[in-house]
């Protein structure tokens, strides 16, 4: 009897110290794919997320950023699509998530991956070199129109992507016609504009803020319904909020861009939830909040069914914009 009681106590002790089932987490380094060139908005955001995770010890394993920009981002998307069931590969997305398959016919759709989280929406600003005589968008576009068709150069990231779609929108709204010059990333575009190799650009705020602060570029208008809310001075004289909307400037065109994170297809809900939780922790850090203001982001975030619904609507919007521009692959 005593022996039996002792045995029962030993069994109970064994169960008492047995660890509870641990939630899934990465067991090896995670590859963070950027389907764009270095220095652009997607690359900057991916590297910021990487830095925040390291600084705040949010992951036990490392997060390795890898740029795969070939084919307007198709290289990166197809890579992730091809790693079905691999939870150690994630990708940051911009709107080439929609534009690349529509423009190239590459066999890829956002539904071929697992949506994790919308991190923010990015703005577009019409920029010129600070030595340009035009002080506002209306004057600059009047000068473009007066110069005649295909005389002025608009720099942008990629062909038949967000920047060129927006450029076509400007042309249709104002009767202008640019020579569109594609570059690999927003960082390159800003450098080309500083060097006067192009006349203007439609870069995201974060891609040109350093040159704006340095007095090398001038912001003419933002392509959104409302002015950006950030009122802290970025240059000696201006905050993001001081930049008028393009509609205020007589250019009835607007466009915002997705900054989101996806996983490979075929992962488990538990693995997906790990990254949803991880990115939520990233967004709660002071570093992220500072970056959001520095880059003048629209801080809309979402995940789950809400994000999936938004993606379906955004895809249709891009299809209509690109059809109007003649950019759909035949």
């Amino acid at each position: 009897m005593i022996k039996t009681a002792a045995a029962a106590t030993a069994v109970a002790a064994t169960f008492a110290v047995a660890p509870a089932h641990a939630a899934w987490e990465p067991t090896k380094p995670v590859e963070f794919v950027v389907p764009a060139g270095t220095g652009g908005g997607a690359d900057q955001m991916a590297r910021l997320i990487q830095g925040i995770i390291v600084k705040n010890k949010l992951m036990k394993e490392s997060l390795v950023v890898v740029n795969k920009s070939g084919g307007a981002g198709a290289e990166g998307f197809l890579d992730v699509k091809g790693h079905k069931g691999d939870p150690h590969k994630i990708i940051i997305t911009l709107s080439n998530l929609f534009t690349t398959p529509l423009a190239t016919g590459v066999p890829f759709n956002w539904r071929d991956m697992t949506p994790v989280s919308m991190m923010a929406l990015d703005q577009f600003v019409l920029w010129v070199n600070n030595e340009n005589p035009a002080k506002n968008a209306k004057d600059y576009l009047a000068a473009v129109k007066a110069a005649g068709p295909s005389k002025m150069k608009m720099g942008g990231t990629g062909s038949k992507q967000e920047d060129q779609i927006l450029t076509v929108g400007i042309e249709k709204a104002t009767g202008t016609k640019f020579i569109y010059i594609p570059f690999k990333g927003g960082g390159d575009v800003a450098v080309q504009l500083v060097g006067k190799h192009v006349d203007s650009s439609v870069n995201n705020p974060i891609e040109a803020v350093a040159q704006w602060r340095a007095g090398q570029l001038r912001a003419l208008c933002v392509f959104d319904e409302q002015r950006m809310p950030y009122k802290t001075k970025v240059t000696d004289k201006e905050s993001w909020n001081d930049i008028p909307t393009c509609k205020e400037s007589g250019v009835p065109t607007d466009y915002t861009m997705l900054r989101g994170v996806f996983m490979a297809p075929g992962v488990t809900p538990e693995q997906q939830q790990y990254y949803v939780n991880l990115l939520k922790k990233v967004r709660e850090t002071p570093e992220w909040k500072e970056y959001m203001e520095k880059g003048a982001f629209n801080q809309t975030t979402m995940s789950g069914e809400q994000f999936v619904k938004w993606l379906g609507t955004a895809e249709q919007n891009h299809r209509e914009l690109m059809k109007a521009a003649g950019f759909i692959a035949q």
Side-chain angles (χ1 to χ4, degrees), residues 250-292:
V251 188
T253 303
D254 60 82
Y255 185 87
T256 54
M257 182 169 65
L258 171 67
R259 298 292 185 190
V261 175
F262 284 67
M263 298 174 69
V267 297
T268 69
E270 188 180 36
Q271 291 165 341
Q272 179 187 25
Q273 191 60 44
Y274 170 83
Y275 289 103
V276 170
N277 294 341
L278 174 69
L279 294 170
K280 183 174 184 291
K281 291 174 186 174
V282 168
R283 292 195 299 270
E284 289 168 350
T285 63
E287 296 93 338
W288 179 263
K289 291 171 183 175
E290 180 184 344
Y291 181 77
M292 287 290 99

Side-chain angles (χ1 to χ4, degrees), residues 26-32 50 53-54 58-65 88-90 274-275 278:
T27 55
K28 63 180 183 179
V30 174
E31 186 175 289
F32 197 3
Q50 178 193 46
I53 287 172
V54 170
L58 300 180
M59 280 176 65
K60 293 178 183 177
E61 296 290 341
S62 58
L63 186 67
V64 183
V65 176
H88 296 91
K89 189 182 286 282
I90 63 175
Y274 170 83
Y275 289 103
L278 174 69

Side-chain angles (χ1 to χ4, degrees), residues 33-316:
V33 178
V34 179
T38 57
D43 182 64
Q44 289 187 48
M45 183 174 283
R47 294 180 191 279
L48 173 80
I49 291 171
Q50 178 193 46
I52 288 174
I53 287 172
V54 170
K55 180 179 178 180
N56 296 279
K57 298 182 173 63
L58 300 180
M59 280 176 65
K60 293 178 183 177
E61 296 290 341
S62 58
L63 186 67
V64 183
V65 176
V66 181
N67 294 82
K68 296 184 178 181
S69 61
E75 177 190 4
F77 293 129
L78 291 173
D79 177 48
V80 175
K81 176 185 175 180
H83 281 75
K84 185 175 181 179
D86 183 359
H88 296 91
K89 189 182 286 282
I90 63 175
I91 185 168
I92 192 162
T93 59
L94 47 159
S95 292
N96 63 354
L97 177 71
F98 311 115
T99 57
T100 293
L102 288 170
T104 65
V106 65
F108 167 78
N109 182 277
W110 65 266
R111 295 172 182 84
D112 295 327
M113 302 189 299
T114 303
V116 178
S117 292
M118 175 193 288
M119 298 300 288
L121 291 172
D122 209 347
Q123 306 280 14
F124 284 82
V125 172
L126 178 61
W127 303 91
V128 293
N129 189 290
N130 203 40
E131 295 178 14
N132 192 297
K135 301 302 180 186
N136 55 61
K138 186 176 181 180
D139 289 350
Y140 173 64
L141 292 167
V144 174
K145 193 170 183 178
S150 303
K151 298 294 184 184
M152 306 282 263
K153 297 174 182 177
M154 178 74 84
T157 304
S159 297
K160 298 182 180 179
Q161 302 292 318
E162 303 90 351
D163 293 15
Q164 190 172 12
I165 292 169
L166 187 47
T167 299
V168 170
I170 296 168
E171 292 173 340
K172 288 183 179 297
T174 61
T176 53
K177 183 64 179 176
F178 289 93
I179 301 172
Y180 179 79
I181 310 292
F183 297 96
K184 280 191 173 182
D188 290 341
V189 176
V191 170
Q192 295 296 322
L193 185 54
V194 169
K196 299 181 182 178
H197 302 295
V198 294
D199 300 291
S200 55
S201 76
V202 286
N203 253 356
N204 305 122
I206 197 68
E207 294 173 330
V209 64
Q211 292 84 355
W212 186 39
R213 185 181 290 112
Q216 297 170 313
L217 299 183
R218 180 181 305 133
L220 298 183
C221 66
V222 60
F223 294 91
D224 204 352
E225 295 281 347
Q226 298 178 325
R227 291 192 181 203
M228 294 175 278
Y230 307 102
K231 297 184 179 180
T232 302
K233 297 296 181 190
V234 178
T235 71
D236 291 342
K237 298 178 181 178
E238 289 184 294
S239 70
W240 292 116
N241 184 253
D242 290 321
I243 301 172
T245 67
C246 294
K247 287 185 178 180
E248 286 179 64
S249 307
V251 188
T253 303
D254 60 82
Y255 185 87
T256 54
M257 182 169 65
L258 171 67
R259 298 292 185 190
V261 175
F262 284 67
M263 298 174 69
V267 297
T268 69
E270 188 180 36
Q271 291 165 341
Q272 179 187 25
Q273 191 60 44
Y274 170 83
Y275 289 103
V276 170
N277 294 341
L278 174 69
L279 294 170
K280 183 174 184 291
K281 291 174 186 174
V282 168
R283 292 195 299 270
E284 289 168 350
T285 63
E287 296 93 338
W288 179 263
K289 291 171 183 175
E290 180 184 344
Y291 181 77
M292 287 290 99
E293 179 161 358
K294 177 185 174 186
F297 288 90
N298 176 329
Q299 295 190 47
T300 301
T301 65
M302 59 183 73
S303 59
E305 284 304 312
Q306 183 188 21
F307 189 25
V308 170
K309 184 177 179 181
W310 183 93
L311 288 164
T313 301
E315 179 185 34
Q316 185 57 32

